[in-house]
Amino acid sequence: MHLNPYGEYAVLLAASLANDWPADRAAIEVRTLSMGMTMVFPPAPDDHERVRDVIDDWLEVVDQSDPGERARLLNDQMAEAAAYPRLTNHSGEGWHLHYRDDVPSLPFVLRGIITVGTSLHLVTRGMDRLGRCEASPCTNVVVDITRNGRQRFCSVRCANRAAVRRHRARSSA
């Protein structure tokens, strides 16, 4: 099964924003560009707050373990921003699909990209391939893009921390 790169980029961008929230709108734009987004949008005074709302809504999807409810949440969020797919060739990127109206707003575009990308990720990889790090007390988002679908930790550091805890628990028993 091959993941659409659009979905992977979008869900990883959302996790990056959720796990390390940028201090201001400029930092959000830097992050989106560094993660593969090529468009910039005219700034609005409430962009930082509105992008935070997008991420908080997305985190409801992350924290929902029931596939049906997860799908319902994503469908509701996509309804806010998604439109008929359309072919576009902006910024010399080559032809690709947009799943949103052409509204020049960073929060609006991120809602469309993140929700459609997350949906593509979940339907191609599996509805359980998104969650939280299992290394307590870490609460980072984990986007499972592994081949075997067994990623449970956000980083090697958290995986090692959990392994040490398991080892100590066995040793003391």
Side-chain angles (χ1 to χ4, degrees):
M1 187 171 359
H2 177 69
L3 175 64
N4 178 324
Y6 179 86
E8 186 172 301
Y9 131 78
V11 74
L12 291 172
L13 171 60
S16 172
L17 292 169
N19 292 341
D20 183 19
W21 179 243
D24 55 27
R25 194 244 190 242
I28 293 171
E29 188 169 284
V30 167
R31 180 82 54 81
T32 62
L33 293 171
S34 73
M35 301 267 322
M37 204 163 130
T38 58
M39 297 178 70
V40 294
F41 301 92
D46 60 348
D47 278 352
H48 190 255
E49 177 183 310
R50 289 181 53 220
V51 173
R52 183 71 242 187
D53 291 343
V54 169
I55 297 303
D56 288 344
D57 289 348
W58 181 76
L59 287 171
E60 290 180 34
V61 173
V62 170
D63 293 333
Q64 180 52 249
S65 59
D66 177 73
E69 184 60 16
R70 184 173 262 184
R72 186 196 67 74
L73 287 168
L74 272 170
N75 285 335
D76 289 350
Q77 291 176 30
M78 281 189 290
E80 291 182 40
Y84 292 105
R86 68 190 82 226
L87 286 168
T88 184
N89 184 16
H90 62 81
S91 308
E93 291 181 19
W95 289 102
H96 60 282
L97 282 174
H98 275 193
Y99 293 90
R100 59 177 171 73
D101 289 328
D102 290 327
V103 175
S105 160
L106 181 62
F108 183 83
V109 169
L110 285 178
R111 183 174 299 280
I113 288 170
I114 288 169
T115 57
V116 171
T118 300
S119 298
L120 288 169
H121 172 75
L122 295 175
V123 299
T124 57
R125 293 282 191 169
M127 289 297 282
D128 61 340
R129 303 285 290 261
L130 182 63
R132 298 284 186 157
C133 183
E134 291 184 15
S136 180
C138 183
T139 59
N140 279 347
V141 174
V142 175
V143 178
D144 186 353
I145 58 172
T146 63
R147 184 174 284 212
N148 66 7
R150 299 192 193 279
Q151 187 172 346
R152 300 180 359 226
F153 305 103
C154 68
S155 65
V156 172
R157 179 178 171 216
C158 278
N160 288 342
R161 184 182 307 137
V164 168
R165 284 190 181 132
R166 285 190 308 273
H167 174 73
R168 287 181 180 158
R170 283 191 304 268
S171 297
S172 65

